[in-house]
Amino acid sequence: MTESVTTATELPRSDRARATRTLTVTGLNHALHDGYTDVIYVLLPVWQTEFALSYGLLALLRGLYAGAMAGLQIPVGRIAERVDGKIILIAGTALSALGYLFAGFSGGIVGLGLALALSGAGSSTQHPIASAAVSRAYGKAARGPLGIYNFTGDLGKAAIPALTSILLVIMTWRHTLLLLALAGLLVAACIVVWMPAVGRGAAGKTVAASHREGAGGGGFPWLLAIGILDTAVRMGFLTFLPFLLRDKGASLPTNGFALALVFIGGAAGKFTCGWLGERVGTLRTVLITEGGTAALIVAVLALPLVPAIVLLPLLGVMLNGTSSVLYGTVPELTPPHRTERAFAVFYTGTIGSGAVAPVLYGVLGDALGPSLATAATAVTALAICPLAIVLARHLADGPATA
């Protein structure tokens, strides 16, 4: 590379303090919203008993939340071009908390479904606004902090469902949801008090949130394609992993332990690979993570149970590591005043891929069996590598500047 890598410590002290506050508050908010998203899995059996629901209706409840969250991110990105992102983030977090509050008071399936849709709508604000806020706060040094920001979401996915499971033992699900709603309102208050203003996207032209000056444009569609395929690999592999381990002789507790190892590795991957991308570049990092993903998937398919389980934390690092690098690259390919809109499009594509990919791989699994369908996820991972090479031509750390 012809330019030295800018780090967060090179920011002026006042800007560094503001950036740290931004990352801390958005990280807390990310943990809350991702926890809100995954806690539904803990609550579905409770609601099935309470309302005598079929599996189809349970899936619909989950879909209402996820659909509202995914479908509204692009409109939220457009609103952020006219309204300060901090205001949107406060309103969205409060709305998501109120959705769980209303769910706790719901008397039937219709009210519960509407409450979850309301909460999902509030969560639609989190990814595009918070990611853009961290990007603007750190400027050229945003890749590593964006990796930390994404890591905090995994902490929320682990902590909030686990805490909810404990609370459901000592109180009713309705009281549990009231506590979750209170936590959300407290986080909204933290944003009010401690988070610096984000500013409007349209007013961000003067903010050096991107170091794309002087580099050619047009790389965002390639980045989006990589993000969609990367998510498809992750979701497809996780769909078949329990069945692969079962066929190797794993019990249900062993399957649960194995999945935990993947998720722990995934959290570590989000934390570390954002910094790796800042230091060695997007292309090298993506080639490492996707090539490693393909190799480790093949190894898990071929090895006996115990060696396969031993590899799962490292596979989790590779599966999730690419995502942090991709999130950190979005601002580099986007004009500063359209950062929120770009993040909204990117998250909509990846979340949509996460919903569709398991279905497609499931059809493939029905036709070819779980082993060959899992092998197809490894092939998909390798297919990302040539796309990354094309993308690198549009990046400041690409071959032209290496």
Side-chain angles (χ1 to χ4, degrees), residues 346-382:
F346 187 82
Y347 277 109
T348 299
T350 55
I351 292 173
S353 175
V356 174
V359 177
L360 298 179
Y361 282 115
V363 172
L364 193 61
D366 288 334
L368 302 178
S371 294
L372 288 178
T374 304
T377 65
V379 174
T380 305
L382 290 177

PDB file of all heavy atoms in Angstrom, residues 346-382:
ATOM      1  N   PHE A 346     -27.202  -2.645   2.230  1.00  0.00           N
ATOM      2  CA  PHE A 346     -26.330  -3.789   2.506  1.00  0.00           C
ATOM      3  C   PHE A 346     -26.973  -4.722   3.530  1.00  0.00           C
ATOM      4  O   PHE A 346     -27.018  -5.944   3.340  1.00  0.00           O
ATOM      5  CB  PHE A 346     -24.973  -3.293   3.013  1.00  0.00           C
ATOM      6  CG  PHE A 346     -23.960  -4.397   3.153  1.00  0.00           C
ATOM      7  CD1 PHE A 346     -23.253  -4.838   2.048  1.00  0.00           C
ATOM      8  CD2 PHE A 346     -23.714  -4.989   4.373  1.00  0.00           C
ATOM      9  CE1 PHE A 346     -22.316  -5.873   2.159  1.00  0.00           C
ATOM     10  CE2 PHE A 346     -22.790  -6.007   4.504  1.00  0.00           C
ATOM     11  CZ  PHE A 346     -22.085  -6.447   3.399  1.00  0.00           C
ATOM     12  N   TYR A 347     -27.480  -4.164   4.616  1.00  0.00           N
ATOM     13  CA  TYR A 347     -28.093  -5.009   5.645  1.00  0.00           C
ATOM     14  C   TYR A 347     -29.372  -5.660   5.141  1.00  0.00           C
ATOM     15  O   TYR A 347     -29.688  -6.797   5.507  1.00  0.00           O
ATOM     16  CB  TYR A 347     -28.378  -4.187   6.904  1.00  0.00           C
ATOM     17  CG  TYR A 347     -27.182  -4.043   7.813  1.00  0.00           C
ATOM     18  CD1 TYR A 347     -26.522  -2.818   7.940  1.00  0.00           C
ATOM     19  CD2 TYR A 347     -26.701  -5.119   8.546  1.00  0.00           C
ATOM     20  CE1 TYR A 347     -25.426  -2.683   8.769  1.00  0.00           C
ATOM     21  CE2 TYR A 347     -25.603  -4.984   9.381  1.00  0.00           C
ATOM     22  CZ  TYR A 347     -24.970  -3.772   9.490  1.00  0.00           C
ATOM     23  OH  TYR A 347     -23.884  -3.636  10.308  1.00  0.00           O
ATOM     24  N   THR A 348     -30.130  -4.947   4.316  1.00  0.00           N
ATOM     25  CA  THR A 348     -31.337  -5.557   3.760  1.00  0.00           C
ATOM     26  C   THR A 348     -30.982  -6.774   2.913  1.00  0.00           C
ATOM     27  O   THR A 348     -31.624  -7.828   2.994  1.00  0.00           O
ATOM     28  CB  THR A 348     -32.117  -4.531   2.911  1.00  0.00           C
ATOM     29  OG1 THR A 348     -32.510  -3.440   3.745  1.00  0.00           O
ATOM     30  CG2 THR A 348     -33.362  -5.163   2.314  1.00  0.00           C
ATOM     31  N   GLY A 349     -29.933  -6.646   2.095  1.00  0.00           N
ATOM     32  CA  GLY A 349     -29.509  -7.770   1.258  1.00  0.00           C
ATOM     33  C   GLY A 349     -29.027  -8.950   2.072  1.00  0.00           C
ATOM     34  O   GLY A 349     -29.387 -10.104   1.802  1.00  0.00           O
ATOM     35  N   THR A 350     -28.217  -8.686   3.103  1.00  0.00           N
ATOM     36  CA  THR A 350     -27.677  -9.804   3.890  1.00  0.00           C
ATOM     37  C   THR A 350     -28.742 -10.455   4.763  1.00  0.00           C
ATOM     38  O   THR A 350     -28.772 -11.680   4.896  1.00  0.00           O
ATOM     39  CB  THR A 350     -26.499  -9.333   4.756  1.00  0.00           C
ATOM     40  OG1 THR A 350     -26.907  -8.225   5.570  1.00  0.00           O
ATOM     41  CG2 THR A 350     -25.343  -8.893   3.883  1.00  0.00           C
ATOM     42  N   ILE A 351     -29.621  -9.648   5.350  1.00  0.00           N
ATOM     43  CA  ILE A 351     -30.704 -10.227   6.159  1.00  0.00           C
ATOM     44  C   ILE A 351     -31.647 -11.036   5.277  1.00  0.00           C
ATOM     45  O   ILE A 351     -32.101 -12.125   5.642  1.00  0.00           O
ATOM     46  CB  ILE A 351     -31.461  -9.120   6.920  1.00  0.00           C
ATOM     47  CG1 ILE A 351     -30.553  -8.513   7.993  1.00  0.00           C
ATOM     48  CG2 ILE A 351     -32.726  -9.683   7.569  1.00  0.00           C
ATOM     49  CD1 ILE A 351     -31.145  -7.302   8.678  1.00  0.00           C
ATOM     50  N   GLY A 352     -31.942 -10.499   4.086  1.00  0.00           N
ATOM     51  CA  GLY A 352     -32.778 -11.251   3.158  1.00  0.00           C
ATOM     52  C   GLY A 352     -32.136 -12.560   2.742  1.00  0.00           C
ATOM     53  O   GLY A 352     -32.798 -13.594   2.640  1.00  0.00           O
ATOM     54  N   SER A 353     -30.829 -12.534   2.519  1.00  0.00           N
ATOM     55  CA  SER A 353     -30.110 -13.763   2.182  1.00  0.00           C
ATOM     56  C   SER A 353     -30.200 -14.767   3.326  1.00  0.00           C
ATOM     57  O   SER A 353     -30.368 -15.971   3.102  1.00  0.00           O
ATOM     58  CB  SER A 353     -28.645 -13.441   1.881  1.00  0.00           C
ATOM     59  OG  SER A 353     -27.899 -14.618   1.673  1.00  0.00           O
ATOM     60  N   GLY A 354     -30.103 -14.275   4.571  1.00  0.00           N
ATOM     61  CA  GLY A 354     -30.208 -15.163   5.715  1.00  0.00           C
ATOM     62  C   GLY A 354     -31.552 -15.837   5.816  1.00  0.00           C
ATOM     63  O   GLY A 354     -31.661 -16.947   6.376  1.00  0.00           O
ATOM     64  N   ALA A 355     -32.600 -15.186   5.280  1.00  0.00           N
ATOM     65  CA  ALA A 355     -33.929 -15.788   5.305  1.00  0.00           C
ATOM     66  C   ALA A 355     -34.141 -16.779   4.161  1.00  0.00           C
ATOM     67  O   ALA A 355     -34.766 -17.828   4.333  1.00  0.00           O
ATOM     68  CB  ALA A 355     -34.995 -14.686   5.247  1.00  0.00           C
ATOM     69  N   VAL A 356     -33.587 -16.458   2.995  1.00  0.00           N
ATOM     70  CA  VAL A 356     -33.845 -17.269   1.802  1.00  0.00           C
ATOM     71  C   VAL A 356     -32.879 -18.448   1.679  1.00  0.00           C
ATOM     72  O   VAL A 356     -33.276 -19.553   1.272  1.00  0.00           O
ATOM     73  CB  VAL A 356     -33.767 -16.386   0.537  1.00  0.00           C
ATOM     74  CG1 VAL A 356     -33.876 -17.233  -0.727  1.00  0.00           C
ATOM     75  CG2 VAL A 356     -34.857 -15.325   0.568  1.00  0.00           C
ATOM     76  N   ALA A 357     -31.620 -18.244   2.034  1.00  0.00           N
ATOM     77  CA  ALA A 357     -30.599 -19.272   1.807  1.00  0.00           C
ATOM     78  C   ALA A 357     -30.913 -20.614   2.459  1.00  0.00           C
ATOM     79  O   ALA A 357     -30.757 -21.668   1.816  1.00  0.00           O
ATOM     80  CB  ALA A 357     -29.235 -18.760   2.281  1.00  0.00           C
ATOM     81  N   PRO A 358     -31.362 -20.661   3.735  1.00  0.00           N
ATOM     82  CA  PRO A 358     -31.672 -21.976   4.316  1.00  0.00           C
ATOM     83  C   PRO A 358     -32.737 -22.737   3.542  1.00  0.00           C
ATOM     84  O   PRO A 358     -32.685 -23.968   3.460  1.00  0.00           O
ATOM     85  CB  PRO A 358     -32.143 -21.627   5.734  1.00  0.00           C
ATOM     86  CG  PRO A 358     -31.493 -20.325   6.044  1.00  0.00           C
ATOM     87  CD  PRO A 358     -31.487 -19.585   4.741  1.00  0.00           C
ATOM     88  N   VAL A 359     -33.692 -21.995   2.965  1.00  0.00           N
ATOM     89  CA  VAL A 359     -34.736 -22.656   2.182  1.00  0.00           C
ATOM     90  C   VAL A 359     -34.140 -23.283   0.926  1.00  0.00           C
ATOM     91  O   VAL A 359     -34.413 -24.437   0.589  1.00  0.00           O
ATOM     92  CB  VAL A 359     -35.847 -21.651   1.809  1.00  0.00           C
ATOM     93  CG1 VAL A 359     -36.902 -22.327   0.931  1.00  0.00           C
ATOM     94  CG2 VAL A 359     -36.486 -21.076   3.067  1.00  0.00           C
ATOM     95  N   LEU A 360     -33.288 -22.524   0.228  1.00  0.00           N
ATOM     96  CA  LEU A 360     -32.687 -23.027  -1.008  1.00  0.00           C
ATOM     97  C   LEU A 360     -31.773 -24.216  -0.732  1.00  0.00           C
ATOM     98  O   LEU A 360     -31.831 -25.241  -1.426  1.00  0.00           O
ATOM     99  CB  LEU A 360     -31.911 -21.915  -1.704  1.00  0.00           C
ATOM    100  CG  LEU A 360     -32.737 -20.705  -2.163  1.00  0.00           C
ATOM    101  CD1 LEU A 360     -31.836 -19.664  -2.815  1.00  0.00           C
ATOM    102  CD2 LEU A 360     -33.831 -21.142  -3.126  1.00  0.00           C
ATOM    103  N   TYR A 361     -30.930 -24.089   0.292  1.00  0.00           N
ATOM    104  CA  TYR A 361     -30.064 -25.208   0.641  1.00  0.00           C
ATOM    105  C   TYR A 361     -30.870 -26.392   1.170  1.00  0.00           C
ATOM    106  O   TYR A 361     -30.470 -27.551   0.999  1.00  0.00           O
ATOM    107  CB  TYR A 361     -29.021 -24.784   1.669  1.00  0.00           C
ATOM    108  CG  TYR A 361     -27.863 -24.012   1.087  1.00  0.00           C
ATOM    109  CD1 TYR A 361     -27.632 -22.681   1.435  1.00  0.00           C
ATOM    110  CD2 TYR A 361     -26.985 -24.599   0.184  1.00  0.00           C
ATOM    111  CE1 TYR A 361     -26.572 -21.971   0.908  1.00  0.00           C
ATOM    112  CE2 TYR A 361     -25.911 -23.898  -0.353  1.00  0.00           C
ATOM    113  CZ  TYR A 361     -25.719 -22.579   0.004  1.00  0.00           C
ATOM    114  OH  TYR A 361     -24.662 -21.881  -0.529  1.00  0.00           O
ATOM    115  N   GLY A 362     -32.001 -26.096   1.821  1.00  0.00           N
ATOM    116  CA  GLY A 362     -32.862 -27.176   2.283  1.00  0.00           C
ATOM    117  C   GLY A 362     -33.424 -27.989   1.134  1.00  0.00           C
ATOM    118  O   GLY A 362     -33.486 -29.224   1.193  1.00  0.00           O
ATOM    119  N   VAL A 363     -33.827 -27.294   0.077  1.00  0.00           N
ATOM    120  CA  VAL A 363     -34.311 -28.002  -1.117  1.00  0.00           C
ATOM    121  C   VAL A 363     -33.191 -28.853  -1.703  1.00  0.00           C
ATOM    122  O   VAL A 363     -33.399 -30.013  -2.107  1.00  0.00           O
ATOM    123  CB  VAL A 363     -34.828 -26.992  -2.161  1.00  0.00           C
ATOM    124  CG1 VAL A 363     -35.146 -27.691  -3.477  1.00  0.00           C
ATOM    125  CG2 VAL A 363     -36.057 -26.270  -1.628  1.00  0.00           C
ATOM    126  N   LEU A 364     -31.976 -28.290  -1.729  1.00  0.00           N
ATOM    127  CA  LEU A 364     -30.828 -29.048  -2.229  1.00  0.00           C
ATOM    128  C   LEU A 364     -30.543 -30.250  -1.333  1.00  0.00           C
ATOM    129  O   LEU A 364     -30.199 -31.339  -1.823  1.00  0.00           O
ATOM    130  CB  LEU A 364     -29.605 -28.131  -2.284  1.00  0.00           C
ATOM    131  CG  LEU A 364     -28.381 -28.640  -3.051  1.00  0.00           C
ATOM    132  CD1 LEU A 364     -28.724 -28.880  -4.519  1.00  0.00           C
ATOM    133  CD2 LEU A 364     -27.232 -27.649  -2.925  1.00  0.00           C
ATOM    134  N   GLY A 365     -30.705 -30.074  -0.027  1.00  0.00           N
ATOM    135  CA  GLY A 365     -30.501 -31.180   0.893  1.00  0.00           C
ATOM    136  C   GLY A 365     -31.516 -32.293   0.689  1.00  0.00           C
ATOM    137  O   GLY A 365     -31.183 -33.487   0.794  1.00  0.00           O
ATOM    138  N   ASP A 366     -32.764 -31.926   0.405  1.00  0.00           N
ATOM    139  CA  ASP A 366     -33.786 -32.942   0.126  1.00  0.00           C
ATOM    140  C   ASP A 366     -33.432 -33.740  -1.122  1.00  0.00           C
ATOM    141  O   ASP A 366     -33.701 -34.940  -1.211  1.00  0.00           O
ATOM    142  CB  ASP A 366     -35.156 -32.281  -0.052  1.00  0.00           C
ATOM    143  CG  ASP A 366     -35.719 -31.758   1.266  1.00  0.00           C
ATOM    144  OD1 ASP A 366     -35.339 -32.301   2.327  1.00  0.00           O
ATOM    145  OD2 ASP A 366     -36.524 -30.808   1.229  1.00  0.00           O
ATOM    146  N   ALA A 367     -32.828 -33.060  -2.099  1.00  0.00           N
ATOM    147  CA  ALA A 367     -32.522 -33.720  -3.374  1.00  0.00           C
ATOM    148  C   ALA A 367     -31.233 -34.539  -3.319  1.00  0.00           C
ATOM    149  O   ALA A 367     -31.170 -35.637  -3.881  1.00  0.00           O
ATOM    150  CB  ALA A 367     -32.433 -32.676  -4.490  1.00  0.00           C
ATOM    151  N   LEU A 368     -30.205 -34.002  -2.625  1.00  0.00           N
ATOM    152  CA  LEU A 368     -28.881 -34.627  -2.675  1.00  0.00           C
ATOM    153  C   LEU A 368     -28.411 -35.192  -1.347  1.00  0.00           C
ATOM    154  O   LEU A 368     -27.409 -35.910  -1.305  1.00  0.00           O
ATOM    155  CB  LEU A 368     -27.849 -33.609  -3.166  1.00  0.00           C
ATOM    156  CG  LEU A 368     -28.111 -32.974  -4.534  1.00  0.00           C
ATOM    157  CD1 LEU A 368     -27.025 -31.938  -4.854  1.00  0.00           C
ATOM    158  CD2 LEU A 368     -28.166 -34.038  -5.627  1.00  0.00           C
ATOM    159  N   GLY A 369     -29.084 -34.842  -0.247  1.00  0.00           N
ATOM    160  CA  GLY A 369     -28.634 -35.253   1.070  1.00  0.00           C
ATOM    161  C   GLY A 369     -27.863 -34.144   1.758  1.00  0.00           C
ATOM    162  O   GLY A 369     -27.308 -33.247   1.097  1.00  0.00           O
ATOM    163  N   PRO A 370     -27.775 -34.183   3.088  1.00  0.00           N
ATOM    164  CA  PRO A 370     -27.140 -33.081   3.827  1.00  0.00           C
ATOM    165  C   PRO A 370     -25.646 -32.936   3.557  1.00  0.00           C
ATOM    166  O   PRO A 370     -25.125 -31.822   3.564  1.00  0.00           O
ATOM    167  CB  PRO A 370     -27.399 -33.447   5.295  1.00  0.00           C
ATOM    168  CG  PRO A 370     -27.691 -34.911   5.298  1.00  0.00           C
ATOM    169  CD  PRO A 370     -28.349 -35.200   3.990  1.00  0.00           C
ATOM    170  N   SER A 371     -24.949 -34.024   3.297  1.00  0.00           N
ATOM    171  CA  SER A 371     -23.507 -33.922   3.079  1.00  0.00           C
ATOM    172  C   SER A 371     -23.189 -33.148   1.797  1.00  0.00           C
ATOM    173  O   SER A 371     -22.351 -32.233   1.787  1.00  0.00           O
ATOM    174  CB  SER A 371     -22.870 -35.311   3.018  1.00  0.00           C
ATOM    175  OG  SER A 371     -22.964 -35.956   4.265  1.00  0.00           O
ATOM    176  N   LEU A 372     -23.860 -33.494   0.708  1.00  0.00           N
ATOM    177  CA  LEU A 372     -23.608 -32.791  -0.550  1.00  0.00           C
ATOM    178  C   LEU A 372     -24.113 -31.360  -0.501  1.00  0.00           C
ATOM    179  O   LEU A 372     -23.496 -30.455  -1.078  1.00  0.00           O
ATOM    180  CB  LEU A 372     -24.259 -33.548  -1.707  1.00  0.00           C
ATOM    181  CG  LEU A 372     -23.585 -34.875  -2.102  1.00  0.00           C
ATOM    182  CD1 LEU A 372     -24.360 -35.557  -3.225  1.00  0.00           C
ATOM    183  CD2 LEU A 372     -22.135 -34.627  -2.527  1.00  0.00           C
ATOM    184  N   ALA A 373     -25.224 -31.129   0.199  1.00  0.00           N
ATOM    185  CA  ALA A 373     -25.719 -29.766   0.335  1.00  0.00           C
ATOM    186  C   ALA A 373     -24.736 -28.916   1.132  1.00  0.00           C
ATOM    187  O   ALA A 373     -24.505 -27.736   0.825  1.00  0.00           O
ATOM    188  CB  ALA A 373     -27.089 -29.765   1.015  1.00  0.00           C
ATOM    189  N   THR A 374     -24.129 -29.510   2.164  1.00  0.00           N
ATOM    190  CA  THR A 374     -23.117 -28.790   2.935  1.00  0.00           C
ATOM    191  C   THR A 374     -21.881 -28.530   2.085  1.00  0.00           C
ATOM    192  O   THR A 374     -21.267 -27.456   2.159  1.00  0.00           O
ATOM    193  CB  THR A 374     -22.732 -29.588   4.191  1.00  0.00           C
ATOM    194  OG1 THR A 374     -23.911 -29.860   4.953  1.00  0.00           O
ATOM    195  CG2 THR A 374     -21.750 -28.812   5.049  1.00  0.00           C
ATOM    196  N   ALA A 375     -21.500 -29.508   1.258  1.00  0.00           N
ATOM    197  CA  ALA A 375     -20.377 -29.304   0.343  1.00  0.00           C
ATOM    198  C   ALA A 375     -20.670 -28.141  -0.606  1.00  0.00           C
ATOM    199  O   ALA A 375     -19.758 -27.397  -0.994  1.00  0.00           O
ATOM    200  CB  ALA A 375     -20.103 -30.583  -0.439  1.00  0.00           C
ATOM    201  N   ALA A 376     -21.935 -27.963  -0.959  1.00  0.00           N
ATOM    202  CA  ALA A 376     -22.302 -26.838  -1.827  1.00  0.00           C
ATOM    203  C   ALA A 376     -22.048 -25.504  -1.148  1.00  0.00           C
ATOM    204  O   ALA A 376     -21.715 -24.513  -1.813  1.00  0.00           O
ATOM    205  CB  ALA A 376     -23.769 -26.956  -2.241  1.00  0.00           C
ATOM    206  N   THR A 377     -22.171 -25.445   0.182  1.00  0.00           N
ATOM    207  CA  THR A 377     -21.848 -24.189   0.872  1.00  0.00           C
ATOM    208  C   THR A 377     -20.354 -23.883   0.763  1.00  0.00           C
ATOM    209  O   THR A 377     -19.962 -22.718   0.663  1.00  0.00           O
ATOM    210  CB  THR A 377     -22.263 -24.243   2.354  1.00  0.00           C
ATOM    211  OG1 THR A 377     -21.486 -25.223   3.048  1.00  0.00           O
ATOM    212  CG2 THR A 377     -23.741 -24.580   2.496  1.00  0.00           C
ATOM    213  N   ALA A 378     -19.521 -24.928   0.785  1.00  0.00           N
ATOM    214  CA  ALA A 378     -18.076 -24.723   0.602  1.00  0.00           C
ATOM    215  C   ALA A 378     -17.776 -24.194  -0.792  1.00  0.00           C
ATOM    216  O   ALA A 378     -16.925 -23.307  -0.970  1.00  0.00           O
ATOM    217  CB  ALA A 378     -17.321 -26.022   0.858  1.00  0.00           C
ATOM    218  N   VAL A 379     -18.474 -24.713  -1.792  1.00  0.00           N
ATOM    219  CA  VAL A 379     -18.296 -24.227  -3.164  1.00  0.00           C
ATOM    220  C   VAL A 379     -18.717 -22.761  -3.263  1.00  0.00           C
ATOM    221  O   VAL A 379     -18.063 -21.944  -3.926  1.00  0.00           O
ATOM    222  CB  VAL A 379     -19.095 -25.099  -4.144  1.00  0.00           C
ATOM    223  CG1 VAL A 379     -19.045 -24.515  -5.556  1.00  0.00           C
ATOM    224  CG2 VAL A 379     -18.557 -26.533  -4.148  1.00  0.00           C
ATOM    225  N   THR A 380     -19.816 -22.415  -2.583  1.00  0.00           N
ATOM    226  CA  THR A 380     -20.264 -21.022  -2.582  1.00  0.00           C
ATOM    227  C   THR A 380     -19.214 -20.113  -1.963  1.00  0.00           C
ATOM    228  O   THR A 380     -18.968 -19.004  -2.456  1.00  0.00           O
ATOM    229  CB  THR A 380     -21.586 -20.897  -1.808  1.00  0.00           C
ATOM    230  OG1 THR A 380     -22.557 -21.799  -2.363  1.00  0.00           O
ATOM    231  CG2 THR A 380     -22.129 -19.474  -1.887  1.00  0.00           C
ATOM    232  N   ALA A 381     -18.579 -20.576  -0.885  1.00  0.00           N
ATOM    233  CA  ALA A 381     -17.524 -19.782  -0.255  1.00  0.00           C
ATOM    234  C   ALA A 381     -16.373 -19.529  -1.222  1.00  0.00           C
ATOM    235  O   ALA A 381     -15.848 -18.413  -1.313  1.00  0.00           O
ATOM    236  CB  ALA A 381     -17.024 -20.488   1.008  1.00  0.00           C
ATOM    237  N   LEU A 382     -15.980 -20.554  -1.962  1.00  0.00           N
ATOM    238  CA  LEU A 382     -14.901 -20.381  -2.939  1.00  0.00           C
ATOM    239  C   LEU A 382     -15.320 -19.446  -4.069  1.00  0.00           C
ATOM    240  O   LEU A 382     -14.481 -18.722  -4.626  1.00  0.00           O
ATOM    241  CB  LEU A 382     -14.499 -21.744  -3.509  1.00  0.00           C
ATOM    242  CG  LEU A 382     -13.776 -22.691  -2.536  1.00  0.00           C
ATOM    243  CD1 LEU A 382     -13.516 -24.028  -3.217  1.00  0.00           C
ATOM    244  CD2 LEU A 382     -12.470 -22.060  -2.048  1.00  0.00           C
TER     245      LEU A 382
END
